[in-house]
C-alpha cells in the first residue's frame, strides 16, 4: 500500500489527504495544532492518522502542504529523515507583499531549491496549479475535470504520486522534468494574480483539456 | 473603426485575421508570399486586404504573427514606422533545438525584449497561450470557451485589443502588466511541451475557467 505523509492541514493539505485516503493510501496528516489537525484528518477520512509536525514520518511520499516561507523550517526539523523519501512541493513562492514576482531564482523554482536542500530525496512539483476547491470537487468550476500537473526527474516517484491522485478520483499528468517546475510555478503565480484580481474565482482557474 | 495589420499568414495569423474581420475591424494581412497571403486573406474574410511584408501598415494595432526568430527582422524592416502603434507579440520563444528552455532572459520575456527594441510603441502580449485551432473554433476541444490572455502596460491598448477579440466571438481577459508576459510565455511553453509529448492535442490546452 502506498503511504503518504502530509505536512500542513490547511485547505490544500486537507483536500490532498482526502484524495489520497479515497484512493486507498495510508495517510498521515501532520501540522502544528494537534486538535485542529485531528479534525482535518477526520474530515479527510476515517483511516487518516493525525499528529503534530515533528512526529516520525510514516509515509514514503511526503507532501509539504505549506506556504513556501514555512518549508525551510520543516526541512530543518526533519533533517536526516528525508533521505530516500519522495518529497512533493506544492508551493507558489510569491512575494506576498507585492503579489508581483516570485522569491525564487527566475531561471529556477522553489522545487529546485528544495531538491538542492535535500539531495537524498526525490523531489516532485505538484498541486500548485490547482486551487483547493478544484481538488475537493475534482472539477474546475463544474466546467472541466481538474488535472494535477506533476513534474520531477524520477519516473517511478512521479508514477507513484500520479497513481495516488488518480486512485482518489482526480486526473493527473506527467508535466516533464523537475526543470518544468519553473513553468508550473509561473502558471500558479499567474492563476493567483487572476483570482486576486477577481478575473476568475477560487473555484476556477486553468483547466487542462486534452 | 479599429484597424489591424497582421504580419504573418500562417495558421495563427489567419485565425487572428478571421476573428478581427468577424468583429468588424479593418484588417490588413501581410506576409512574404503575395499569392499565399491573398489566399489566407480570402479565407479570413471578404473584407481582408492582403499584401507583402514591407508594405505600409494601415493598422493602428500591429500583430506580429511570426515565430520569435523572425520578429527582429520585421522590426528592422519597419524601423521608424512603429512609433505610436500598438504592437502585439504572440510568440513562444522556445529553443526549438532542445524544446527544453526559452531563448529570452529568465526574468523577462520576448514581449519585453520587443518593447525595449521599439520604445515608441505600446507592446502587448497576447495569443501565445491559445493554439490556432482553439482560436478558429472559439473552444478548447469543445470542452470550454477559448480565452485570450492579454498583458501590457497601456490600459487603452489592452482595451482596444480585447474589444477586437471579443467582437470577433472569442473571450479575452486582461492578464496584467507587461511584466506578466514572463508567466504567459512560461504557460505557452509548458502547453507546447505537453502537446509535443502528446499529453494533450493541438485542439486542447489550458482553458481559463472563471
Amino acid at each position: 500500500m502506498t503511504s503518504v505523509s502530509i505536512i500542513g492541514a490547511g485547505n490544500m493539505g486537507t483536500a490532498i489527504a482526502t484524495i489520497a485516503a479515497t484512493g486507498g493510501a495510508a495517510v498521515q496528516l501532520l501540522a502544528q495544532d494537534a486538535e485542529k489537525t485531528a479534525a482535518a484528518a477526520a474530515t479527510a477520512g476515517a483511516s487518516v492518522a493525525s499528529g503534530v509536525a515533528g512526529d516520525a514520518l510514516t509515509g514514503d511520499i511526503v507532501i509539504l502542504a505549506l506556504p513556501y516561507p514555512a518549508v525551510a523550517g520543516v526541512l530543518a526539523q526533519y533533517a536526516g529523515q528525508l533521505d530516500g523519501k519522495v518529497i512533493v512541493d506544492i508551493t507558489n513562492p510569491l512575494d506576498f507583499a507585492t503579489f508581483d514576482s516570485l522569491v525564487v531564482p527566475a531561471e529556477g523554482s522553489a522545487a529546485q531549491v528544495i531538491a538542492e536542500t535535500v539531495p537524498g530525496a526525490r523531489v516532485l512539483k505538484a498541486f500548485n496549479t490547482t486551487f483547493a476547491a478544484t481538488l475537493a470537487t475534482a472539477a474546475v468550476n463544474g466546467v472541466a475535470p481538474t488535472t494535477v500537473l506533476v513534474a520531477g526527474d524520477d519516473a517511478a516517484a512521479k508514477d507513484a504520486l500520479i497513481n495516488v491522485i488518480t486512485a482518489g478520483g482526480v486526473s493527473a499528468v506527467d508535466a516533464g522534468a523537475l526543470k518544468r517546475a519553473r513553468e508550473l510555478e509561473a502558471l500558479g503565480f499567474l492563476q493567483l494574480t487572476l483570482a486576486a484580481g477577481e478575473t476568475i474565482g477560487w473555484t476556477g482557474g486553468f483547466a487542462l483539456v486534452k
Side-chain angles (χ1 to χ4, degrees), chain A:
Chain A
M1 186 193 289
T2 308
S3 56
V4 179
S5 291
I6 300 167
I7 305 177
N11 59 3
M12 286 297 290
T14 304
I16 295 167
T18 305
I19 292 167
T22 301
V27 180
Q28 175 190 41
L29 186 63
L30 304 175
Q32 296 294 337
D33 182 309
E35 201 170 324
K36 283 186 188 167
T37 309
T43 301
S47 67
V48 175
S50 80
V52 294
D55 286 359
L57 299 170
T58 61
D60 296 324
I61 298 174
V62 180
I63 301 177
L64 305 177
L66 299 162
Y68 184 64
V71 166
V74 167
L75 294 182
Q77 186 174 35
Y78 282 102
Q81 300 173 57
L82 293 166
D83 287 354
K85 301 285 191 188
V86 174
I87 295 181
V88 181
D89 165 36
I90 78 161
T91 64
N92 282 302
L94 269 74
D95 181 337
F96 289 106
T98 64
F99 236 78
D100 196 38
S101 64
L102 299 178
V103 298
V104 293
E107 75 285 2
S109 63
Q112 287 175 292
V113 171
I114 292 169
E116 287 158 16
T117 307
V118 193
R122 293 169 288 165
V123 174
L124 303 178
K125 185 87 204 181
F127 297 109
N128 75 298
T129 66
T130 44
F131 291 146
T134 71
L135 289 173
T137 62
V140 186
N141 211 11
V143 173
T146 299
T147 302
V148 177
L149 301 167
V150 182
D153 290 337
D154 187 289
K158 272 195 286 199
D159 281 351
L161 181 63
I162 287 171
N163 287 340
V164 165
I165 298 166
T166 55
V170 176
S171 292
V173 299
D174 182 345
L178 194 64
K179 195 177 176 191
R180 285 292 83 71
R182 176 188 180 274
E183 285 70 45
L184 294 180
E185 293 178 14
L187 172 51
F189 172 26
L190 177 67
Q191 187 171 256
L192 282 168
T193 66
L194 293 171
E198 301 186 357
T199 299
I200 61 172
W202 296 98
T203 54
F206 288 103
L208 186 67
V209 178
K210 291 192 178 180

